Amino acid sequence: MTHEMTITKLTLWHIGLPMRFTFRTSQGTLSHRESLIVGVTTSSGYTGYGEVVAFTEPFYTAETLTKSKDILLTTWLPFFVGKTLSGPWAMYDLIRDMPNTAPDAVAMTAKTVDSASAPADEPLADTWRSHYPMAWAGLENALIHAYYGEQRLSTIGTLVLGEKHKAIESGVVLGDMPIPDLLKAVDAHVAKGCKRIKLKLKPGDAVARVATVRKAHPDIILAGDANCSFAIEQADEIIALNAYNLRSLEEPFRVKDASGNYKSAEVYRSLPQELRQAIKTPLCFDESVQSLAELKAMHATGWLDVLNIKVGRLGGLRETVRCLDYCRAHNIGFWIGSMVESGVSKYMHVQLATMADTWMAGDLSDMSRYFEKDIITTPIEFSKGCLAVDFRPGLGTDIDESVLNEYTVAKFVFE
């Protein structure tokens, strides 16, 4: 029998999380994490939570926190008040009746959304969703956690098929820093039991950074992330990384156009096959693959070996599950990433990282590295490099309301 869930209230918290250090990549820095938390309360009194993981500046994708907040407050949240979901993905049927109006802050963007840009069989509301995946993911995750949570079912445990482990290993991401400091940081994390390190890399010193770490730790699983920072003319640096047995290298080449939009499949399709054959390191894609359609397009170029899975970037759990199914069907490696996010999004990724067929440990390490306090009650803290994972109902953990309120910059309620 299909479960029905009626929505009585939607809440949006705009929060600010002070970070314990400045995180640097080739694309920018982050020292204070603003985020949006969506709460969906049902007629049973249960509340499901989701997080909008867009950044305040468009260094990762074109979607920013302001754009996400605008479309949620003006269109999506008020629309769902009083609606009833008769299945886990019923929200997709409902949005076909969503009014075709959008705030100027959303419409006037690099990815302009208008009736001409939408396919003939796709309502404009669906087009907005595809253009603002992180805003939609925050809402969809809250809806789906509420739907399964009030039935006392685990969302990830129910939706994501396949064998799962009861614990995960940590995977530390280290930002751009002087090489001596980098080596000290790697030493410290390996001493705590971490077996997988990912380095942020940029043109000029990428090989030196990898070589230094690999010499000091020949047996650890080592990965790299270039964040689309290398020009094609700098490919020799990428080829030189062949010698260091990287598990994968993310987003090596520049693929953004002048408007900040990713042209990944187009760029990689134009590259010579000789270059593809010269690069032996498995290539992983992250920010330039934001949907199943883009995954298929990149896979068709012959350059994609591995996919970094982030629910927010992919636009919610439905699209994430579709991408996982595609990867499994086509023997594409996948593993679980992270967005410097609160536990509302992070714990969902912790659960996903239990999948037995992941490519390597995810970008999941102690939350206390980033923030003094988290807004969930389940500590994400690894012991000797391992973390036991819970699959309680819904999200799998509870919200610490006192911390949530402490970090809240603004709060909006629709009921």
Side-chain angles (χ1 to χ4, degrees):
M1 182 176 179
T2 301
H3 177 73
E4 290 194 345
M5 178 189 81
T6 299
I7 302 163
T8 58
K9 182 171 71 172
L10 293 104
T11 308
L12 184 73
W13 292 266
H14 183 165
I15 64 173
L17 300 167
M19 292 183 61
R20 305 186 88 163
F21 67 97
T22 298
F23 189 72
R24 291 180 172 85
T25 74
S26 61
Q27 301 298 315
T29 62
L30 190 68
S31 57
H32 183 87
R33 182 54 157 128
E34 291 188 50
S35 190
L36 302 173
I37 306 298
V38 180
V40 171
T41 303
T42 73
S43 57
S44 70
Y46 189 90
T47 300
Y49 297 89
E51 181 172 3
V52 180
V53 293
F55 293 102
T56 53
E57 300 295 332
F59 62 83
Y60 180 68
T61 68
E63 184 178 359
T64 63
L65 198 76
T66 296
K67 296 172 185 176
S68 300
K69 185 176 179 180
D70 282 344
I71 200 165
L72 284 165
L73 290 179
T74 61
T75 306
W76 293 351
L77 296 186
F79 173 80
F80 277 98
V81 175
K83 296 294 191 297
T84 297
L85 272 65
S86 56
W89 305 122
M91 71 281 287
Y92 285 89
D93 296 325
L94 292 174
I95 63 172
R96 295 184 180 278
D97 298 324
M98 189 182 292
N100 286 342
T101 59
D104 290 342
V106 172
M108 301 298 292
T109 65
K111 289 186 175 182
T112 302
V113 180
D114 55 34
S115 57
S117 69
D121 60 346
E122 181 180 78
L124 191 56
D126 283 342
T127 305
W128 294 342
R129 175 183 52 77
S130 66
H131 282 70
Y132 300 94
M134 289 185 273
W136 178 258
L139 174 58
E140 182 193 283
N141 293 340
L143 288 165
I144 203 71
H145 289 320
Y147 181 82
Y148 282 113
E150 75 168 12
Q151 298 179 72
R152 312 308 298 168
L153 296 172
S154 161
T155 302
I156 299 298
T158 303
L159 286 177
V160 181
L161 303 179
E163 180 187 354
K164 299 181 183 67
H165 297 306
K166 295 182 179 179
I168 63 171
E169 293 185 343
S170 64
V172 171
V173 185
L174 294 175
D176 188 15
M177 64 184 78
I179 291 179
D181 295 341
L182 173 64
L183 188 55
K184 289 179 182 178
V186 173
D187 291 343
H189 287 295
V190 171
K192 292 180 180 178
C194 181
K195 300 174 183 176
R196 195 233 72 174
I197 301 287
K198 189 176 85 175
L199 308 178
K200 292 291 186 177
L201 303 177
K202 66 182 188 305
D205 68 350
V207 176
R209 300 171 78 80
V210 172
T212 299
V213 174
R214 177 56 79 201
K215 182 178 179 180
H217 298 281
D219 298 326
I220 65 169
I221 297 172
L222 191 60
D225 185 359
N227 288 116
C228 305
S229 60
F230 286 80
I232 303 303
E233 295 75 19
Q234 297 168 311
D236 284 349
E237 287 188 70
I238 302 298
I239 296 170
L241 294 173
N242 291 347
Y244 300 100
N245 189 29
L246 291 181
R247 182 65 170 157
S248 65
L249 174 65
E250 286 177 66
E251 299 285 3
F253 296 120
R254 296 175 189 166
V255 291
K256 279 187 178 182
D257 64 16
S259 299
N261 295 315
Y262 289 99
K263 301 292 184 180
S264 302
E266 181 180 325
V267 169
Y268 280 90
R269 196 181 299 116
S270 70
L271 298 180
Q273 278 302 304
E274 293 81 4
L275 177 59
R276 179 67 181 104
Q277 293 165 7
I279 298 173
K280 305 302 181 184
T281 303
L283 296 183
C284 177
F285 289 84
D286 176 3
E287 56 262 43
S288 63
V289 175
Q290 299 180 42
S291 66
L292 176 60
E294 291 182 1
L295 170 60
K296 290 179 177 179
M298 272 302 303
H299 182 222
T301 68
W303 282 81
L304 182 145
D305 299 308
V306 187
L307 180 67
N308 179 331
I309 296 285
K310 296 175 181 174
V311 178
R313 187 193 82 240
L314 292 173
L317 279 170
R318 188 179 76 157
E319 195 76 351
T320 297
V321 170
R322 288 175 168 180
C323 288
L324 286 170
D325 290 344
Y326 185 85
C327 287
R328 285 167 168 162
H330 294 85
N331 296 314
I332 298 169
F334 60 85
W335 58 279
I336 309 304
S338 180
M339 295 272 293
V340 188
E341 58 213 341
S342 85
V344 171
S345 181
K346 182 86 75 178
Y347 203 73
M348 186 168 53
H349 290 86
V350 164
Q351 293 172 314
L352 285 170
T354 64
M355 291 183 292
D357 52 349
T358 53
W359 179 258
M360 64 180 178
D363 282 344
L364 300 163
S365 57
D366 295 347
M367 286 293 284
S368 58
R369 283 186 63 212
Y370 298 96
F371 311 116
E372 182 178 347
K373 291 181 284 188
D374 195 4
I375 62 174
I376 63 170
T377 58
T378 303
I380 302 178
E381 300 293 326
F382 289 77
S383 175
K384 297 181 180 179
C386 290
L387 174 70
V389 182
D390 200 348
F391 284 88
R392 292 166 52 203
L395 174 62
T397 183
D398 297 318
I399 300 298
D400 188 325
E401 293 186 5
S402 64
V403 179
L404 175 60
N405 291 333
E406 178 184 345
Y407 287 150
T408 295
V409 175
K411 180 180 178 181
F412 308 87
V413 179
F414 298 85
E415 58 184 337

